[in-house]
Amino acid sequence: MICGQQKTDGIHILYGFICDSCELEIVRTDVMDDKYAFFVNRMKQIFYKKDA
Ligand SMILES: [Zn+2]
């Protein structure tokens, strides 16, 4: 869901799925990092599905 890869290891959340590597990367990403904003945006798309 985050990286677009189909993996079996990871966590399932509300409407999506975060694979192990993405989960690790999110945890390790600094809040000030540009990457963090990217992750947050992807998370928003997962948690707040537009067709809800
Ligand atoms: Zn991933």
Side-chain angles (χ1 to χ4, degrees):
M1 197 70 176
I2 301 279
C3 62
Q5 289 181 64
Q6 290 287 334
K7 294 183 182 177
T8 49
D9 291 331
I11 52 165
H12 287 276
I13 53 170
L14 232 49
Y15 298 108
F17 173 80
I18 300 174
C19 72
D20 275 350
S21 53
C22 283
E23 192 193 346
L24 263 173
E25 205 164 347
I26 291 169
V27 169
R28 281 187 308 206
T29 302
D30 193 274
V31 181
M32 300 305 286
D33 199 309
D34 281 348
K35 229 173 170 186
Y36 192 82
F38 166 78
F39 282 132
V40 168
N41 269 318
R42 295 304 293 252
M43 297 286 273
K44 275 185 192 162
Q45 282 171 36
I46 295 167
F47 283 115
Y48 307 108
K49 247 191 160 187
K50 277 171 192 166
D51 60 3

